[in-house]
Amino acid sequence: MAVIRKVDFTTDIIQGETIVFNFSEDSVVEVVNSKGIKTSYNYPYQPIDTSSWEDGAYTAIINDTSFAVRTFQVVNPTTTADKYNQYLNIINEINQVIESKVQGGGVITQSINNKSLTTESMDALLKLRSHYTKLANQERARMKGISPGNPIKSITTFNRGV
């Protein structure tokens, strides 16, 4: 038997879980999906399988004792992990370019995700790595349901004296 989670749209919904709305009697809930298609649900609420829901931002319009509008996210757990792994691969590729430059390699061009970097300065590479590290940290925090901290503990920057 599937686990049914009661929701009030204050947290994300994982694509594929079974949910039931947790609102008072005589309430009406309208859910507007990421494509703008509206679906109405009346009390008593029946369990809803979210397997066919697309990931993205949704809006819930709740008409019960008061009127409320809430936004929530439907998250596809496999695409979240794929995005995180993609960020890690980009960081590794940038690290390879940096290592080559530090070792005196004459890197003239390097391809990262079908984009060519031509004689990028060390400063530009470090900024690029820092940017993708922040994106990876945000994605990891989102997957774990925590505030974005810094799970990748440190970035070491080497500067040569002039």
Side-chain angles (χ1 to χ4, degrees):
M1 178 176 217
V3 174
I4 299 173
R5 184 169 69 99
K6 292 184 178 184
V7 298
D8 61 0
F9 305 114
T10 56
T11 60
D12 291 345
I13 294 175
I14 306 300
Q15 187 182 43
E17 72 179 329
T18 302
I19 62 170
V20 67
F21 302 141
N22 190 22
F23 298 105
S24 62
E25 291 183 20
D26 299 327
S27 60
V28 176
V29 176
E30 293 180 331
V31 175
V32 183
N33 71 11
S34 57
K35 293 183 178 179
I37 299 171
K38 186 186 298 184
T39 307
S40 291
Y41 301 92
N42 295 312
Y43 190 88
Y45 300 113
Q46 300 300 313
I48 301 166
D49 179 18
T50 62
S51 296
S52 63
W53 289 18
E54 294 182 19
D55 55 336
Y58 283 62
T59 302
I61 303 165
I62 304 141
N63 191 359
D64 57 359
T65 55
S66 63
F67 186 78
V69 177
R70 296 187 183 143
T71 58
F72 64 97
Q73 189 83 14
V74 173
V75 178
N76 181 337
T78 58
T79 59
T80 301
D82 289 345
K83 185 183 285 188
Y84 179 70
N85 288 326
Q86 180 184 10
Y87 289 148
L88 291 181
N89 287 335
I90 290 171
I91 293 167
N92 288 334
E93 290 174 355
I94 293 169
N95 285 338
Q96 289 173 1
V97 174
I98 291 171
E99 286 177 26
S100 178
K101 285 182 97 51
V102 169
Q103 293 173 1
V107 177
I108 296 171
T109 62
Q110 175 73 26
S111 179
I112 297 176
N113 279 357
N114 297 325
K115 306 281 190 271
S116 292
L117 299 176
T118 306
T119 60
E120 293 293 330
S121 69
M122 185 65 80
D123 187 48
L125 290 170
L126 293 172
K127 285 180 183 176
L128 192 61
R129 182 174 69 169
S130 176
H131 171 73
Y132 279 103
T133 301
K134 285 178 186 176
L135 291 176
N137 288 339
Q138 289 171 352
E139 197 63 34
R140 181 179 165 111
R142 200 165 69 88
M143 288 187 313
K144 295 208 172 261
I146 57 176
S147 66
N150 195 1
I152 297 176
K153 297 297 180 194
S154 67
I155 296 176
T156 305
T157 305
F158 297 102
N159 293 319
R160 291 185 178 171
V162 180

